[in-house]
């Protein structure tokens, strides 16, 4: 009965242009990849996945992770999800999900917090939400994951799933801030991995 009610709710929901949610997430992801192609991390291989089916259970990413399970073991894989970024301030999600609300990977949250403290001009903050983000399937597969995006003063993605979610209302400065935060976070992840490898090499067997 609950599943039927949810399906009926989606079937009767109003249509939304989706420019900010999550057209901006795609734009931020592509801009991040462009910047990382120009200055590639030394210790991280970057792969972009535009999974398409992102709402609900995140079928697109779920199927991608299942198809590439052998190449993407949790021990050496991390997923950085890009949520709606068309307004507000940069943030990272502490937890997400409508029921059990799994937490994002602790080390990735710590690195995000370090970036926020070092780059105070970004005004990035931690965010906790009961909604879904792009990384929920990765967390379900026990792969370290973290979502970043933009939220307003009420902790909401501006114009998300609203009829006025059009490109005229996207804030270019908000997009730039999320891109800058994402780049700084990737740099922090790269440096953290280098330090961990150095420590392992220095430790006698």
């Amino acid at each position: 009965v609950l599943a039927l009610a949810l399906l009926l709710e989606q079937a009767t929901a109003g249509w939304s242009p989706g420019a900010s949610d999550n057209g901006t997430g795609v734009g931020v992801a592509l801009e991040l990849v462009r910047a990382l192609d120009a200055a590639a991390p030394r210790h991280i291989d970057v792969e972009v996945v535009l999974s398409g089916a992102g709402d609900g259970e995140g079928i697109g990413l779920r199927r991608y992770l299942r198809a590439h399970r052998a190449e993407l073991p949790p021990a050496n894989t991390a997923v950085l999800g890009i949520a709606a970024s068309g307004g507000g301030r940069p943030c990272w999600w502490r937890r997400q999900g409508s029921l059990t609300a799994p937490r994002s990977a602790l080390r990735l949250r710590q690195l995000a917090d370090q970036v926020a403290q070092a780059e105070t001009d970004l005004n990035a903050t931690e965010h906790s939400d009961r909604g879904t983000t792009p990384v929920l399937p990765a967390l379900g597969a026990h792969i370290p994951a973290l979502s970043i995006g933009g939220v307003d003063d009420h902790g909401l993605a501006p114009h998300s799933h609203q009829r006025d979610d059009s490109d005229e209302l996207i804030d270019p400065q908000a997009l730039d801030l999320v891109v800058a935060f994402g780049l700084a976070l990737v740099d922090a992840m790269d440096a953290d991995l280098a330090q961990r490898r150095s420590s392992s090499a220095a430790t006698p067997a």
Side-chain angles (χ1 to χ4, degrees):
V1 175
L2 177 59
L4 176 60
L6 292 174
L7 288 173
L8 289 174
E9 180 183 356
Q10 289 187 347
T12 57
W15 173 81
S16 170
S20 180
D21 191 3
N22 192 10
T24 55
V26 175
V28 168
L30 293 177
E31 183 63 21
L32 283 173
V33 172
R34 185 198 66 78
L36 293 172
D37 277 343
R42 294 184 59 187
H43 306 281
I44 296 176
D45 292 327
V46 178
E47 184 173 338
V48 61
V49 179
L50 303 179
S51 58
D55 275 354
E57 297 299 317
I59 297 174
L61 180 58
R62 191 180 301 277
R63 290 189 174 180
Y64 179 85
L65 294 175
R66 186 180 302 147
H68 296 270
R69 186 178 305 167
E71 307 125 71
L72 301 173
N76 62 1
T77 303
V79 175
L80 181 63
I82 315 296
S85 308
R89 64 185 182 279
C91 71
W92 68 94
W93 269 255
R94 180 173 181 267
R95 62 172 68 232
Q96 57 264 296
S98 55
L99 294 177
T100 56
R103 292 186 179 184
S104 303
L106 174 60
R107 186 56 187 158
L108 296 180
R109 297 200 322 264
Q110 292 173 338
L111 292 175
D113 186 63
Q114 290 177 17
V115 170
Q117 293 185 38
E119 307 286 345
T120 55
D121 56 316
L122 297 177
N123 195 28
T125 59
E126 188 179 66
H127 179 60
S128 186
D129 188 15
R130 285 288 177 177
T132 59
T133 73
V135 303
L136 199 56
L139 292 174
H142 306 291
I143 296 175
L146 185 76
S147 277
I148 65 173
V151 294
D152 60 20
D153 292 337
H154 302 287
L156 302 173
H159 314 292
S160 175
H161 292 93
Q162 301 297 313
R163 290 176 182 268
D164 64 351
D165 188 7
S166 61
D167 54 3
E168 291 85 358
L169 297 178
I170 293 175
D171 180 1
Q173 184 179 10
L175 290 176
D176 291 342
L177 289 173
V178 177
V179 170
F181 180 62
L183 289 173
L185 180 55
V186 172
D187 284 345
M189 293 166 63
D190 192 51
D192 184 66
L193 181 57
Q195 182 178 9
R196 288 169 180 264
R197 286 179 175 175
S198 176
S199 299
S200 298
T203 301

